[in-house]
Amino acid sequence: MVDVKKLLWKNDRNFNKDEINDQRYFLVAEHNDLITKARHDLNARELKIMDYVISKIKPDDKNFNVIQTSMYELSNVLELKRSGRTYSQLAQNLNDMRAKSVRIYNEVERSITMTGWFERAKVWENGKIELKINEDFAPFLLRLKDNGHYTQYLLHDTVQLKSKYAILLYKLMRESDKDNGQSIPIVQGAPDDFKKWLGAPKNYAYKDLKKSVLIRSDFRLCFKTFLDESLGYNLTEQILKVYQLVIIEPQVVAILSISRSRSLTVSC
C-alpha cells in the first residue's frame, strides 16, 4: 500500500482549465441541515477542501460527478504554498477525510444519516486528483433550489479564515441571515449548543468555550467577511463596532448578533 506521505510529486501541473483566481469566487451552496445538524471532526483545511469540492457542483446537477483537479490547483485555490510537503499534507487530508465520518440528523424523518465524505478519492504521483462526494449527501447538496432551506457563500469567504471554529461560526451566521441583511441575524443557543455546532471538545467548561473557541475564533476576520466592510474590534476595551458579540453566562444563553449601524459595549 502506498504511503501518501512518501508520494513523489514529479510534476507541478494544473489539470483543470478553470482560472485559479476565478474559482475562489465560486459559490458554495449547502442545505441548512449540513450547517446546523451535521456532527463531524473536520479540521480547518479539510473544511476548506470540502467547500472547494462543493463549489464545483452546478445548480442543475442531478448526480455527483467525479471532480477532476490537481495538487497545483487545490493549493492555489486554498492559498497554500506549493511544495512537496504541502502536497503530501493535502494527500493525507484527503486520506483522512475518506476515513472520517459525519452524522446528520433529520427532524422530519427522525433519522440520522451516518456516512463518509468521499465515495472516491484518488491521487496520482504527478499531482492529479479525482474526488467524488458520497451519494448520501445528495439531499444536502443537489437541486437545492427545488428543496429550499439552503445557504450559500463564496468559497473565498471560508478560505481566508484560519480556524475551524471561525469557519463553522461563519456558516452559522450565513445560515441565520434569512433576508440578506434586511434584519439583524442572530445565532442563538446555550453554550452546549455552541459546543455541538462548532465541534468543540465535549469536556470544555464554559470558560474554555469562551476563551478557546468564541474569543479566539478569528472573530475580526469572520465578521469582516460576513459584512464585507472594515470593523473596529478592541478586546481590551471590549468595544465591538458594527457587529455585536454578546456572551451571557452559562446558565442563560449565548447570543451572536450582527448590526450594521450600532455599537455595543460588551461584557466578556
Side-chain angles (χ1 to χ4, degrees), residues 101-165:
S101 64
V102 56
R103 296 177 295 114
I104 309 169
Y105 180 64
N106 186 311
E107 289 182 346
V108 177
E109 296 181 353
R110 300 185 67 83
S111 65
I112 298 177
T113 298
M114 295 172 282
T115 188
W117 296 95
F118 293 130
E119 177 182 305
R120 178 187 182 191
K122 188 172 182 178
V123 180
W124 280 259
E125 288 188 354
N126 64 6
K128 182 180 177 180
I129 301 172
E130 286 186 356
L131 300 169
K132 186 177 182 183
I133 299 174
N134 197 306
E135 289 295 333
D136 287 331
F137 283 96
F140 308 101
L141 296 174
L142 296 178
R143 313 282 298 200
L144 293 177
K145 288 187 176 180
D146 296 342
N147 302 321
H149 307 295
Y150 69 94
T151 297
Q152 63 181 11
Y153 48 87
L154 295 176
L155 175 61
H156 177 71
D157 292 348
T158 52
V159 164
Q160 63 180 320
L161 298 174
K162 305 301 181 184
S163 75
K164 78 168 189 176
Y165 299 130

Side-chain angles (χ1 to χ4, degrees), residues 152-199:
Q152 63 181 11
Y153 48 87
L154 295 176
L155 175 61
H156 177 71
D157 292 348
T158 52
V159 164
Q160 63 180 320
L161 298 174
K162 305 301 181 184
S163 75
K164 78 168 189 176
Y165 299 130
I167 294 171
L168 295 173
L169 175 62
Y170 176 74
K171 293 187 179 192
L172 283 169
M173 291 162 58
R174 279 293 183 196
E175 190 275 336
S176 69
D177 186 17
K178 307 296 185 183
D179 55 10
N180 297 317
Q182 297 301 311
S183 60
I184 299 175
I186 297 177
V187 181
Q188 179 173 322
D192 282 347
D193 293 325
F194 276 88
K195 283 197 289 185
K196 292 177 182 177
W197 292 332
L198 302 179

Side-chain angles (χ1 to χ4, degrees), residues 10 31 52 62 65 68-69 75 86 93 106 135 179 187 196 212 220 234 257 263:
K10 298 179 180 179
H31 194 282
Y52 163 79
K62 296 182 179 179
N65 298 312
Q68 306 279 352
T69 183
S75 60
T86 296
N93 289 139
N106 186 311
E135 289 295 333
D179 55 10
V187 181
K196 292 177 182 177
S212 301
R220 182 184 186 121
N234 189 320
S257 62
S263 299

Side-chain angles (χ1 to χ4, degrees), residues 17-264:
K17 296 180 180 179
D18 292 327
E19 291 294 332
I20 299 296
N21 289 334
D22 290 345
Q23 291 186 62
R24 293 175 187 151
Y25 296 94
F26 281 9
L27 284 172
V28 180
E30 53 189 320
H31 194 282
N32 293 342
D33 284 356
L34 204 54
I35 296 174
T36 60
K37 295 183 173 64
R39 302 292 178 260
H40 55 77
D41 62 345
L42 295 186
N43 60 34
R45 181 177 291 179
E46 291 163 354
L47 285 167
K48 295 175 186 181
I49 291 173
M50 201 63 210
D51 278 357
Y52 163 79
V53 175
I54 293 172
S55 75
K56 296 283 192 175
I57 299 173
K58 295 180 174 60
D60 56 351
D61 283 347
K62 296 182 179 179
N63 300 289
F64 292 123
N65 298 312
V66 175
I67 303 300
Q68 306 279 352
T69 183
S70 67
M71 289 294 178
Y72 176 96
E73 177 185 337
L74 194 55
S75 60
N76 273 279
V77 172
L78 300 186
E79 300 179 358
L80 301 173
K81 180 180 179 181
R82 296 202 313 276
S83 68
R85 182 171 181 270
T86 296
Y87 291 177
S88 292
Q89 289 174 342
L90 285 170
Q92 186 62 54
N93 289 139
L94 295 174
N95 187 53
D96 291 344
M97 292 174 74
R98 280 277 294 129
K100 288 183 176 181
S101 64
V102 56
R103 296 177 295 114
I104 309 169
Y105 180 64
N106 186 311
E107 289 182 346
V108 177
E109 296 181 353
R110 300 185 67 83
S111 65
I112 298 177
T113 298
M114 295 172 282
T115 188
W117 296 95
F118 293 130
E119 177 182 305
R120 178 187 182 191
K122 188 172 182 178
V123 180
W124 280 259
E125 288 188 354
N126 64 6
K128 182 180 177 180
I129 301 172
E130 286 186 356
L131 300 169
K132 186 177 182 183
I133 299 174
N134 197 306
E135 289 295 333
D136 287 331
F137 283 96
F140 308 101
L141 296 174
L142 296 178
R143 313 282 298 200
L144 293 177
K145 288 187 176 180
D146 296 342
N147 302 321
H149 307 295
Y150 69 94
T151 297
Q152 63 181 11
Y153 48 87
L154 295 176
L155 175 61
H156 177 71
D157 292 348
T158 52
V159 164
Q160 63 180 320
L161 298 174
K162 305 301 181 184
S163 75
K164 78 168 189 176
Y165 299 130
I167 294 171
L168 295 173
L169 175 62
Y170 176 74
K171 293 187 179 192
L172 283 169
M173 291 162 58
R174 279 293 183 196
E175 190 275 336
S176 69
D177 186 17
K178 307 296 185 183
D179 55 10
N180 297 317
Q182 297 301 311
S183 60
I184 299 175
I186 297 177
V187 181
Q188 179 173 322
D192 282 347
D193 293 325
F194 276 88
K195 283 197 289 185
K196 292 177 182 177
W197 292 332
L198 302 179
K202 293 181 179 179
N203 62 351
Y204 263 21
Y206 176 70
K207 64 178 180 179
D208 301 317
L209 178 70
K210 185 167 69 172
K211 179 180 179 181
S212 301
V213 179
L214 294 176
I215 299 301
R216 295 183 179 177
S217 292
D218 298 345
F219 269 122
R220 182 184 186 121
L221 185 55
C222 186
F223 281 87
K224 181 178 180 180
T225 299
F226 185 82
L227 296 173
D228 195 27
E229 56 186 83
S230 61
L231 302 175
Y233 180 31
N234 189 320
L235 186 58
T236 303
E237 296 177 2
Q238 296 176 333
I239 301 294
L240 294 89
K241 299 177 180 177
V242 181
Y243 62 87
Q244 307 165 23
L245 165 61
V246 181
I247 304 174
I248 305 174
E249 289 309 303
Q251 64 270 23
V252 194
V253 295
I255 300 175
L256 288 166
S257 62
I258 304 114
S259 170
R260 298 177 184 273
S261 60
R262 293 186 294 173
S263 299
L264 180 69

